[in-house]
Amino acid sequence: MLLISLFIATLFLAYSNGANDNFKGVATLFGSRTSSYQTAILWATFTTLAGAVTATFLASTLIKNFSGKGLVPDAIANSPEFHLAVAIAAGLTVLIATLMGFPISTTHSLTGALVGAGLVAIGLQVNFAALGASFILPLLLSPIIAIPLGAGIYSLYNYIISKWNLSVNQKIIDTCHFLSAGIVSFTRGLNDTPKIFSLILVIEYFSIQGGMITIAIAMALGGLLNSQKVAVTMSEKITSLNHTQGLSANIVTGILVIAASRFGLPVSTTHVSVGSIFGVGFTGKKNNMRVFYQILLSWVLTLPTAAIISGITYRLLQG
């Protein structure tokens, strides 16, 4: 019964992840009116599924990182109760943010949930050094790198166009924009699917391939059914976007997340995507700072919220 509950809770987390994250790769398509909402979310769903399938062959490092091993003793990291508490807490945290329209990081939610359950299990013996090196530092650095890169690439594009008096072919720009959005969604599927699947590693009935594809289907459903509020925040509320700004932001996001997947760094696609969109908007001074500060606050609250829910859930499961 405990393993069935763990499986259902993990699918709930995958659904919540899809609802909050799937649209982020295509937000600039909708925000710049390069495509309709329906076309954007279908493109995101297809390319995210492709990334998830690819993850079954390439992302073993992330599976290990998010199983909790190294953060807490293996005896606890391998227990179904620990994984169930983490899945419930991370799923609830992401779903609450989604219903409020805030794009938060599932990576951050999982990190907080691992810490919360770990603190209840073994107290301050949690390996905080591993936490800082493997989780916190990459999560903090991703938006800090993405903002100047987004601004820099868009500024460089404008400089080249004006310097050599080049004409812009809108059809080529839009095609590249769609391709870049697909790459971002692909890398998100590649990066996030193994993190969520790691929670059901203790269920021996699943192969890696079968488990990841099941997770990917739940993620796709979440994006198709519940991504509207986050879509509006990402596409319209942070800044207004033109076609080349959207393309510039997606190029930055794709490069950073692909590099992170290659080296097993758990960066947040959310943090990178929001940072790059903010960066390109910064060049035209069109950013909505109030919305940006609200998003930053939601990021700050994500880890402690997930930790508290996870700690309480783990304690109840022990009882």
Side-chain angles (χ1 to χ4, degrees), residues 2-65:
L2 194 61
L3 293 180
I4 294 173
S5 298
L6 173 58
F7 176 64
I8 293 172
T10 304
L11 290 183
F12 166 65
L13 170 59
Y15 180 93
S16 300
N17 170 271
N20 197 277
D21 280 20
N22 273 17
F23 201 81
K24 291 165 186 172
V26 297
T28 58
L29 287 176
F30 181 48
S32 63
R33 297 302 182 260
T34 301
S35 77
S36 65
Y37 173 83
Q38 290 79 8
T39 300
I41 191 61
L42 286 174
W43 181 233
T45 302
F46 173 77
T47 49
T48 299
L49 280 170
V53 171
T54 305
T56 63
F57 304 101
L58 299 179
S60 59
T61 302
L62 284 174
I63 292 176
K64 181 174 181 285
N65 284 349

CSV table of all heavy atoms in Angstrom, one decimal, residues 2-65:
chain,number,residue,atom,x,y,z
A,2,LEU,N,2.0,1.2,0.7
A,2,LEU,CA,2.9,2.4,0.8
A,2,LEU,C,3.5,2.6,-0.5
A,2,LEU,O,3.6,3.8,-1.0
A,2,LEU,CB,4.0,2.1,1.9
A,2,LEU,CG,4.8,3.3,2.3
A,2,LEU,CD1,3.9,4.4,2.9
A,2,LEU,CD2,5.9,2.9,3.3
A,3,LEU,N,3.9,1.6,-1.3
A,3,LEU,CA,4.5,1.7,-2.6
A,3,LEU,C,3.5,2.3,-3.6
A,3,LEU,O,3.8,3.1,-4.5
A,3,LEU,CB,5.1,0.4,-3.1
A,3,LEU,CG,6.3,-0.1,-2.3
A,3,LEU,CD1,6.7,-1.5,-2.8
A,3,LEU,CD2,7.4,0.9,-2.2
A,4,ILE,N,2.2,1.9,-3.5
A,4,ILE,CA,1.2,2.4,-4.4
A,4,ILE,C,1.0,3.9,-4.1
A,4,ILE,O,0.9,4.7,-5.0
A,4,ILE,CB,-0.1,1.6,-4.2
A,4,ILE,CG1,0.0,0.2,-4.7
A,4,ILE,CG2,-1.3,2.3,-4.9
A,4,ILE,CD1,-1.2,-0.7,-4.4
A,5,SER,N,1.0,4.3,-2.8
A,5,SER,CA,0.8,5.7,-2.4
A,5,SER,C,2.0,6.5,-3.0
A,5,SER,O,1.8,7.6,-3.4
A,5,SER,CB,0.7,5.8,-0.9
A,5,SER,OG,-0.4,5.1,-0.4
A,6,LEU,N,3.2,5.9,-2.9
A,6,LEU,CA,4.4,6.6,-3.4
A,6,LEU,C,4.3,6.8,-4.9
A,6,LEU,O,4.6,7.9,-5.4
A,6,LEU,CB,5.6,5.8,-3.1
A,6,LEU,CG,7.0,6.3,-3.7
A,6,LEU,CD1,7.2,7.8,-3.3
A,6,LEU,CD2,8.1,5.4,-3.3
A,7,PHE,N,3.8,5.8,-5.6
A,7,PHE,CA,3.6,5.9,-7.1
A,7,PHE,C,2.6,7.0,-7.4
A,7,PHE,O,2.9,7.9,-8.3
A,7,PHE,CB,3.2,4.6,-7.7
A,7,PHE,CG,2.9,4.6,-9.1
A,7,PHE,CD1,3.9,4.9,-10.0
A,7,PHE,CD2,1.6,4.4,-9.6
A,7,PHE,CE1,3.6,4.9,-11.4
A,7,PHE,CE2,1.3,4.4,-11.0
A,7,PHE,CZ,2.4,4.7,-11.9
A,8,ILE,N,1.5,7.0,-6.7
A,8,ILE,CA,0.5,8.1,-7.0
A,8,ILE,C,1.0,9.4,-6.7
A,8,ILE,O,0.8,10.4,-7.4
A,8,ILE,CB,-0.8,7.7,-6.2
A,8,ILE,CG1,-1.5,6.4,-6.7
A,8,ILE,CG2,-1.8,8.9,-6.3
A,8,ILE,CD1,-2.6,5.9,-5.9
A,9,ALA,N,1.7,9.6,-5.5
A,9,ALA,CA,2.2,10.9,-5.1
A,9,ALA,C,3.2,11.4,-6.1
A,9,ALA,O,3.3,12.6,-6.4
A,9,ALA,CB,2.8,10.8,-3.7
A,10,THR,N,4.0,10.5,-6.7
A,10,THR,CA,5.0,10.9,-7.7
A,10,THR,C,4.4,11.3,-9.0
A,10,THR,O,4.8,12.3,-9.6
A,10,THR,CB,6.0,9.7,-7.9
A,10,THR,OG1,6.6,9.3,-6.7
A,10,THR,CG2,7.1,10.1,-8.9
A,11,LEU,N,3.3,10.7,-9.4
A,11,LEU,CA,2.6,11.1,-10.6
A,11,LEU,C,1.9,12.5,-10.3
A,11,LEU,O,1.8,13.3,-11.2
A,11,LEU,CB,1.5,10.1,-10.9
A,11,LEU,CG,1.9,8.7,-11.5
A,11,LEU,CD1,0.7,7.9,-11.9
A,11,LEU,CD2,2.8,8.9,-12.7
A,12,PHE,N,1.5,12.7,-9.1
A,12,PHE,CA,0.9,14.0,-8.7
A,12,PHE,C,2.0,15.1,-8.8
A,12,PHE,O,1.7,16.2,-9.3
A,12,PHE,CB,0.4,13.9,-7.3
A,12,PHE,CG,0.1,15.3,-6.6
A,12,PHE,CD1,-0.9,16.1,-7.1
A,12,PHE,CD2,0.8,15.7,-5.5
A,12,PHE,CE1,-1.2,17.4,-6.6
A,12,PHE,CE2,0.6,16.9,-5.0
A,12,PHE,CZ,-0.4,17.8,-5.5
A,13,LEU,N,3.2,14.8,-8.4
A,13,LEU,CA,4.3,15.7,-8.5
A,13,LEU,C,4.6,16.0,-10.0
A,13,LEU,O,4.8,17.1,-10.4
A,13,LEU,CB,5.5,15.2,-7.8
A,13,LEU,CG,6.8,15.9,-8.0
A,13,LEU,CD1,6.7,17.4,-7.6
A,13,LEU,CD2,8.0,15.3,-7.3
A,14,ALA,N,4.6,14.9,-10.8
A,14,ALA,CA,4.9,15.1,-12.2
A,14,ALA,C,3.8,15.9,-12.9
A,14,ALA,O,4.1,16.8,-13.7
A,14,ALA,CB,5.0,13.7,-12.9
A,15,TYR,N,2.5,15.7,-12.5
A,15,TYR,CA,1.4,16.6,-13.0
A,15,TYR,C,1.6,18.0,-12.7
A,15,TYR,O,1.5,18.9,-13.5
A,15,TYR,CB,0.1,16.0,-12.5
A,15,TYR,CG,-1.1,16.8,-13.0
A,15,TYR,CD1,-1.8,16.4,-14.2
A,15,TYR,CD2,-1.6,17.9,-12.4
A,15,TYR,CE1,-2.9,17.1,-14.6
A,15,TYR,CE2,-2.7,18.6,-12.8
A,15,TYR,CZ,-3.3,18.2,-14.0
A,15,TYR,OH,-4.4,18.9,-14.4
A,16,SER,N,1.9,18.3,-11.4
A,16,SER,CA,2.2,19.6,-10.9
A,16,SER,C,3.3,20.3,-11.6
A,16,SER,O,3.3,21.4,-12.0
A,16,SER,CB,2.4,19.6,-9.4
A,16,SER,OG,1.3,19.1,-8.7
A,17,ASN,N,4.4,19.5,-11.8
A,17,ASN,CA,5.5,20.0,-12.5
A,17,ASN,C,5.2,20.4,-14.0
A,17,ASN,O,5.6,21.5,-14.4
A,17,ASN,CB,6.6,18.9,-12.6
A,17,ASN,CG,7.8,19.2,-13.5
A,17,ASN,OD1,7.7,18.9,-14.7
A,17,ASN,ND2,8.8,19.9,-13.0
A,18,GLY,N,4.4,19.6,-14.6
A,18,GLY,CA,4.0,19.9,-16.0
A,18,GLY,C,3.1,21.2,-16.0
A,18,GLY,O,3.3,22.0,-16.9
A,19,ALA,N,2.2,21.3,-15.1
A,19,ALA,CA,1.4,22.5,-15.0
A,19,ALA,C,2.2,23.8,-14.8
A,19,ALA,O,1.9,24.8,-15.4
A,19,ALA,CB,0.3,22.3,-13.9
A,20,ASN,N,3.2,23.7,-14.0
A,20,ASN,CA,4.0,24.9,-13.7
A,20,ASN,C,5.1,25.1,-14.7
A,20,ASN,O,5.5,26.3,-15.0
A,20,ASN,CB,4.6,24.8,-12.3
A,20,ASN,CG,5.1,26.1,-11.8
A,20,ASN,OD1,6.2,26.6,-12.1
A,20,ASN,ND2,4.2,26.8,-11.0
A,21,ASP,N,5.6,24.1,-15.3
A,21,ASP,CA,6.9,24.2,-16.1
A,21,ASP,C,6.7,24.0,-17.6
A,21,ASP,O,7.6,24.6,-18.3
A,21,ASP,CB,7.9,23.1,-15.6
A,21,ASP,CG,8.6,23.6,-14.3
A,21,ASP,OD1,8.1,24.4,-13.6
A,21,ASP,OD2,9.7,23.0,-14.0
A,22,ASN,N,5.8,23.3,-18.1
A,22,ASN,CA,5.7,23.0,-19.5
A,22,ASN,C,5.7,24.2,-20.4
A,22,ASN,O,6.3,24.2,-21.5
A,22,ASN,CB,4.6,22.0,-19.8
A,22,ASN,CG,4.9,20.6,-19.6
A,22,ASN,OD1,5.9,20.2,-18.9
A,22,ASN,ND2,4.1,19.7,-20.1
A,23,PHE,N,5.0,25.2,-20.0
A,23,PHE,CA,4.8,26.4,-20.8
A,23,PHE,C,6.1,27.3,-20.9
A,23,PHE,O,6.2,28.2,-21.7
A,23,PHE,CB,3.6,27.2,-20.4
A,23,PHE,CG,3.1,28.1,-21.5
A,23,PHE,CD1,2.3,27.5,-22.5
A,23,PHE,CD2,3.4,29.4,-21.6
A,23,PHE,CE1,1.8,28.3,-23.6
A,23,PHE,CE2,2.9,30.2,-22.6
A,23,PHE,CZ,2.1,29.7,-23.6
A,24,LYS,N,7.0,27.1,-19.9
A,24,LYS,CA,8.1,28.0,-19.8
A,24,LYS,C,9.0,28.1,-21.0
A,24,LYS,O,9.5,29.1,-21.4
A,24,LYS,CB,8.9,27.7,-18.5
A,24,LYS,CG,8.1,28.0,-17.3
A,24,LYS,CD,8.7,27.4,-16.0
A,24,LYS,CE,7.9,27.6,-14.8
A,24,LYS,NZ,8.3,26.8,-13.7
A,25,GLY,N,9.1,26.9,-21.7
A,25,GLY,CA,10.0,26.9,-22.9
A,25,GLY,C,9.4,27.7,-24.0
A,25,GLY,O,10.1,28.2,-24.9
A,26,VAL,N,8.0,27.8,-24.1
A,26,VAL,CA,7.4,28.4,-25.2
A,26,VAL,C,6.7,29.7,-24.8
A,26,VAL,O,6.0,30.3,-25.6
A,26,VAL,CB,6.3,27.5,-25.8
A,26,VAL,CG1,6.9,26.2,-26.4
A,26,VAL,CG2,5.2,27.1,-24.8
A,27,ALA,N,7.0,30.2,-23.6
A,27,ALA,CA,6.4,31.5,-23.2
A,27,ALA,C,6.7,32.6,-24.1
A,27,ALA,O,5.8,33.5,-24.3
A,27,ALA,CB,6.8,31.8,-21.7
A,28,THR,N,7.9,32.7,-24.6
A,28,THR,CA,8.2,33.8,-25.5
A,28,THR,C,7.5,33.7,-26.9
A,28,THR,O,7.3,34.7,-27.5
A,28,THR,CB,9.8,33.8,-25.8
A,28,THR,OG1,10.2,32.6,-26.3
A,28,THR,CG2,10.5,34.1,-24.5
A,29,LEU,N,7.1,32.5,-27.3
A,29,LEU,CA,6.4,32.3,-28.5
A,29,LEU,C,5.0,33.0,-28.4
A,29,LEU,O,4.5,33.8,-29.2
A,29,LEU,CB,6.1,30.9,-28.9
A,29,LEU,CG,7.3,30.1,-29.4
A,29,LEU,CD1,6.9,28.6,-29.6
A,29,LEU,CD2,7.8,30.7,-30.7
A,30,PHE,N,4.3,32.7,-27.2
A,30,PHE,CA,3.0,33.3,-27.0
A,30,PHE,C,3.2,34.8,-26.6
A,30,PHE,O,2.4,35.7,-27.1
A,30,PHE,CB,2.4,32.6,-25.8
A,30,PHE,CG,1.0,33.1,-25.5
A,30,PHE,CD1,0.0,33.3,-26.5
A,30,PHE,CD2,0.6,33.3,-24.2
A,30,PHE,CE1,-1.2,33.8,-26.1
A,30,PHE,CE2,-0.6,33.7,-23.8
A,30,PHE,CZ,-1.6,34.0,-24.8
A,31,GLY,N,4.2,35.2,-25.8
A,31,GLY,CA,4.4,36.5,-25.4
A,31,GLY,C,4.6,37.5,-26.6
A,31,GLY,O,4.2,38.6,-26.6
A,32,SER,N,5.4,37.0,-27.6
A,32,SER,CA,5.7,37.8,-28.7
A,32,SER,C,4.7,37.7,-29.8
A,32,SER,O,4.8,38.3,-30.9
A,32,SER,CB,7.1,37.5,-29.3
A,32,SER,OG,7.1,36.1,-29.7
A,33,ARG,N,3.6,36.9,-29.6
A,33,ARG,CA,2.6,36.6,-30.5
A,33,ARG,C,3.1,36.0,-31.8
A,33,ARG,O,2.5,36.1,-32.9
A,33,ARG,CB,1.8,37.9,-30.9
A,33,ARG,CG,1.0,38.5,-29.7
A,33,ARG,CD,0.1,37.5,-29.1
A,33,ARG,NE,-0.7,38.1,-27.9
A,33,ARG,CZ,-0.4,37.9,-26.7
A,33,ARG,NH1,0.6,37.2,-26.3
A,33,ARG,NH2,-1.2,38.4,-25.7
A,34,THR,N,4.2,35.2,-31.6
A,34,THR,CA,4.7,34.4,-32.7
A,34,THR,C,3.7,33.2,-33.0
A,34,THR,O,3.6,32.7,-34.1
A,34,THR,CB,6.1,33.9,-32.5
A,34,THR,OG1,6.9,35.0,-32.2
A,34,THR,CG2,6.6,33.1,-33.6
A,35,SER,N,3.0,32.8,-31.9
A,35,SER,CA,2.1,31.7,-32.0
A,35,SER,C,0.9,31.9,-31.1
A,35,SER,O,1.0,32.7,-30.2
A,35,SER,CB,2.7,30.3,-31.8
A,35,SER,OG,2.9,30.1,-30.4
A,36,SER,N,-0.2,31.1,-31.2
A,36,SER,CA,-1.3,31.2,-30.3
A,36,SER,C,-0.9,30.3,-29.1
A,36,SER,O,0.1,29.6,-29.1
A,36,SER,CB,-2.5,30.6,-31.0
A,36,SER,OG,-2.3,29.2,-31.2
A,37,TYR,N,-1.7,30.4,-28.0
A,37,TYR,CA,-1.5,29.7,-26.8
A,37,TYR,C,-1.6,28.2,-27.1
A,37,TYR,O,-0.7,27.4,-26.7
A,37,TYR,CB,-2.5,30.0,-25.7
A,37,TYR,CG,-2.5,29.1,-24.5
A,37,TYR,CD1,-1.6,29.4,-23.5
A,37,TYR,CD2,-3.3,28.0,-24.4
A,37,TYR,CE1,-1.5,28.5,-22.4
A,37,TYR,CE2,-3.3,27.2,-23.3
A,37,TYR,CZ,-2.4,27.4,-22.3
A,37,TYR,OH,-2.3,26.6,-21.2
A,38,GLN,N,-2.6,27.8,-27.9
A,38,GLN,CA,-2.8,26.3,-28.2
A,38,GLN,C,-1.6,25.7,-29.0
A,38,GLN,O,-1.1,24.7,-28.6
A,38,GLN,CB,-4.1,26.1,-29.0
A,38,GLN,CG,-5.4,26.4,-28.2
A,38,GLN,CD,-5.7,27.9,-28.1
A,38,GLN,OE1,-5.0,28.8,-28.7
A,38,GLN,NE2,-6.7,28.2,-27.3
A,39,THR,N,-1.1,26.5,-30.0
A,39,THR,CA,0.0,26.0,-30.7
A,39,THR,C,1.2,25.9,-29.8
A,39,THR,O,2.0,24.9,-29.9
A,39,THR,CB,0.3,26.9,-31.9
A,39,THR,OG1,-0.9,27.0,-32.8
A,39,THR,CG2,1.5,26.5,-32.7
A,40,ALA,N,1.4,26.9,-29.0
A,40,ALA,CA,2.6,26.9,-28.1
A,40,ALA,C,2.6,25.7,-27.2
A,40,ALA,O,3.6,25.1,-27.0
A,40,ALA,CB,2.7,28.2,-27.3
A,41,ILE,N,1.5,25.5,-26.5
A,41,ILE,CA,1.4,24.4,-25.5
A,41,ILE,C,1.6,23.0,-26.2
A,41,ILE,O,2.2,22.1,-25.6
A,41,ILE,CB,0.2,24.5,-24.6
A,41,ILE,CG1,0.3,23.5,-23.4
A,41,ILE,CG2,-1.1,24.2,-25.4
A,41,ILE,CD1,1.5,23.8,-22.5
A,42,LEU,N,1.0,22.8,-27.4
A,42,LEU,CA,1.2,21.6,-28.1
A,42,LEU,C,2.6,21.3,-28.5
A,42,LEU,O,3.1,20.2,-28.4
A,42,LEU,CB,0.3,21.5,-29.3
A,42,LEU,CG,-1.2,21.4,-29.0
A,42,LEU,CD1,-2.0,21.5,-30.3
A,42,LEU,CD2,-1.5,20.0,-28.4
A,43,TRP,N,3.3,22.4,-28.9
A,43,TRP,CA,4.7,22.3,-29.3
A,43,TRP,C,5.6,22.0,-28.0
A,43,TRP,O,6.5,21.1,-28.1
A,43,TRP,CB,5.2,23.6,-29.9
A,43,TRP,CG,6.6,23.6,-30.4
A,43,TRP,CD1,7.5,24.6,-30.0
A,43,TRP,CD2,7.3,22.7,-31.2
A,43,TRP,NE1,8.7,24.4,-30.6
A,43,TRP,CE2,8.6,23.2,-31.4
A,43,TRP,CE3,6.9,21.6,-31.9
A,43,TRP,CZ2,9.6,22.6,-32.2
A,43,TRP,CZ3,7.9,20.9,-32.7
A,43,TRP,CH2,9.2,21.4,-32.8
A,44,ALA,N,5.2,22.6,-26.9
A,44,ALA,CA,5.9,22.3,-25.7
A,44,ALA,C,5.7,20.9,-25.2
A,44,ALA,O,6.6,20.2,-24.8
A,44,ALA,CB,5.4,23.3,-24.6
A,45,THR,N,4.5,20.4,-25.3
A,45,THR,CA,4.2,19.0,-24.9
A,45,THR,C,5.0,18.0,-25.7
A,45,THR,O,5.6,17.1,-25.2
A,45,THR,CB,2.7,18.7,-25.1
A,45,THR,OG1,1.9,19.7,-24.3
A,45,THR,CG2,2.3,17.3,-24.6
A,46,PHE,N,5.0,18.2,-27.0
A,46,PHE,CA,5.7,17.2,-27.9
A,46,PHE,C,7.2,17.2,-27.7
A,46,PHE,O,7.8,16.2,-27.5
A,46,PHE,CB,5.4,17.6,-29.4
A,46,PHE,CG,6.2,16.8,-30.4
A,46,PHE,CD1,5.9,15.5,-30.7
A,46,PHE,CD2,7.4,17.4,-31.0
A,46,PHE,CE1,6.7,14.8,-31.6
A,46,PHE,CE2,8.1,16.7,-31.9
A,46,PHE,CZ,7.8,15.4,-32.2
A,47,THR,N,7.8,18.4,-27.5
A,47,THR,CA,9.2,18.5,-27.4
A,47,THR,C,9.7,18.1,-25.9
A,47,THR,O,10.7,17.5,-25.8
A,47,THR,CB,9.7,19.9,-27.7
A,47,THR,OG1,8.9,20.9,-27.0
A,47,THR,CG2,9.7,20.2,-29.2
A,48,THR,N,8.8,18.4,-25.0
A,48,THR,CA,9.1,17.9,-23.6
A,48,THR,C,9.1,16.4,-23.5
A,48,THR,O,10.0,15.8,-22.9
A,48,THR,CB,8.1,18.5,-22.6
A,48,THR,OG1,8.1,19.9,-22.6
A,48,THR,CG2,8.4,18.0,-21.2
A,49,LEU,N,8.1,15.7,-24.2
A,49,LEU,CA,8.1,14.3,-24.2
A,49,LEU,C,9.3,13.7,-24.9
A,49,LEU,O,9.9,12.7,-24.4
A,49,LEU,CB,6.8,13.8,-25.0
A,49,LEU,CG,5.5,13.8,-24.2
A,49,LEU,CD1,4.4,13.6,-25.1
A,49,LEU,CD2,5.6,12.8,-23.1
A,50,ALA,N,9.8,14.4,-25.9
A,50,ALA,CA,11.0,13.9,-26.6
A,50,ALA,C,12.2,14.0,-25.7
A,50,ALA,O,13.1,13.1,-25.6
A,50,ALA,CB,11.3,14.8,-27.9
A,51,GLY,N,12.3,15.1,-24.9
A,51,GLY,CA,13.4,15.2,-23.9
A,51,GLY,C,13.3,14.2,-22.9
A,51,GLY,O,14.4,13.7,-22.4
A,52,ALA,N,12.1,13.9,-22.4
A,52,ALA,CA,11.9,12.9,-21.4
A,52,ALA,C,12.4,11.5,-21.8
A,52,ALA,O,13.0,10.7,-21.1
A,52,ALA,CB,10.5,12.8,-20.9
A,53,VAL,N,12.1,11.2,-23.1
A,53,VAL,CA,12.5,9.9,-23.6
A,53,VAL,C,14.0,9.8,-23.7
A,53,VAL,O,14.7,8.8,-23.4
A,53,VAL,CB,11.9,9.6,-25.0
A,53,VAL,CG1,12.5,8.4,-25.7
A,53,VAL,CG2,10.4,9.5,-24.9
A,54,THR,N,14.6,10.9,-24.2
A,54,THR,CA,16.1,11.0,-24.3
A,54,THR,C,16.7,10.9,-22.9
A,54,THR,O,17.8,10.3,-22.8
A,54,THR,CB,16.5,12.3,-24.9
A,54,THR,OG1,15.8,12.4,-26.2
A,54,THR,CG2,18.0,12.4,-25.1
A,55,ALA,N,16.1,11.4,-21.9
A,55,ALA,CA,16.6,11.3,-20.5
A,55,ALA,C,16.8,9.9,-20.0
A,55,ALA,O,17.7,9.6,-19.2
A,55,ALA,CB,15.7,12.1,-19.5
A,56,THR,N,16.1,8.9,-20.6
A,56,THR,CA,16.2,7.6,-20.1
A,56,THR,C,17.6,7.0,-20.4
A,56,THR,O,18.1,6.0,-19.8
A,56,THR,CB,15.2,6.7,-20.8
A,56,THR,OG1,15.4,6.6,-22.2
A,56,THR,CG2,13.8,7.1,-20.5
A,57,PHE,N,18.3,7.7,-21.4
A,57,PHE,CA,19.6,7.2,-21.8
A,57,PHE,C,20.8,8.1,-21.3
A,57,PHE,O,21.9,7.6,-21.2
A,57,PHE,CB,19.7,7.1,-23.3
A,57,PHE,CG,18.7,6.3,-23.9
A,57,PHE,CD1,17.6,6.9,-24.5
A,57,PHE,CD2,18.8,4.9,-23.9
A,57,PHE,CE1,16.6,6.1,-25.1
A,57,PHE,CE2,17.8,4.2,-24.5
A,57,PHE,CZ,16.7,4.8,-25.1
A,58,LEU,N,20.5,9.3,-20.9
A,58,LEU,CA,21.6,10.3,-20.7
A,58,LEU,C,21.7,10.8,-19.3
A,58,LEU,O,22.7,11.5,-18.9
A,58,LEU,CB,21.5,11.5,-21.6
A,58,LEU,CG,21.5,11.2,-23.1
A,58,LEU,CD1,21.3,12.5,-23.9
A,58,LEU,CD2,22.8,10.5,-23.5
A,59,ALA,N,20.7,10.7,-18.4
A,59,ALA,CA,20.7,11.5,-17.2
A,59,ALA,C,20.8,10.7,-15.9
A,59,ALA,O,20.2,11.0,-14.9
A,59,ALA,CB,19.4,12.4,-17.2
A,60,SER,N,21.7,9.7,-15.9
A,60,SER,CA,21.8,8.9,-14.7
A,60,SER,C,22.3,9.7,-13.5
A,60,SER,O,22.0,9.4,-12.3
A,60,SER,CB,22.7,7.7,-14.9
A,60,SER,OG,24.0,8.2,-15.4
A,61,THR,N,23.1,10.7,-13.7
A,61,THR,CA,23.7,11.5,-12.6
A,61,THR,C,22.6,12.2,-11.8
A,61,THR,O,22.6,12.3,-10.6
A,61,THR,CB,24.6,12.6,-13.2
A,61,THR,OG1,25.7,11.9,-13.9
A,61,THR,CG2,25.3,13.4,-12.0
A,62,LEU,N,21.6,12.8,-12.5
A,62,LEU,CA,20.5,13.5,-11.8
A,62,LEU,C,19.6,12.5,-11.0
A,62,LEU,O,19.1,12.9,-10.0
A,62,LEU,CB,19.7,14.3,-12.8
A,62,LEU,CG,20.3,15.6,-13.3
A,62,LEU,CD1,19.5,16.2,-14.4
A,62,LEU,CD2,20.5,16.6,-12.2
A,63,ILE,N,19.5,11.3,-11.6
A,63,ILE,CA,18.7,10.3,-10.8
A,63,ILE,C,19.3,10.1,-9.5
A,63,ILE,O,18.7,10.0,-8.4
A,63,ILE,CB,18.6,9.0,-11.6
A,63,ILE,CG1,17.7,9.2,-12.9
A,63,ILE,CG2,18.0,7.9,-10.8
A,63,ILE,CD1,17.6,8.0,-13.8
A,64,LYS,N,20.6,9.9,-9.4
A,64,LYS,CA,21.3,9.7,-8.2
A,64,LYS,C,21.3,10.9,-7.3
A,64,LYS,O,21.0,10.8,-6.1
A,64,LYS,CB,22.8,9.4,-8.5
A,64,LYS,CG,23.7,9.1,-7.3
A,64,LYS,CD,25.0,8.6,-7.7
A,64,LYS,CE,25.9,8.3,-6.5
A,64,LYS,NZ,26.4,9.5,-5.8
A,65,ASN,N,21.4,12.1,-7.8
A,65,ASN,CA,21.4,13.3,-7.0
A,65,ASN,C,20.1,13.5,-6.2
A,65,ASN,O,20.1,13.9,-5.1
A,65,ASN,CB,21.6,14.6,-7.8
A,65,ASN,CG,23.1,14.7,-8.2
A,65,ASN,OD1,24.0,14.0,-7.7
A,65,ASN,ND2,23.4,15.6,-9.1
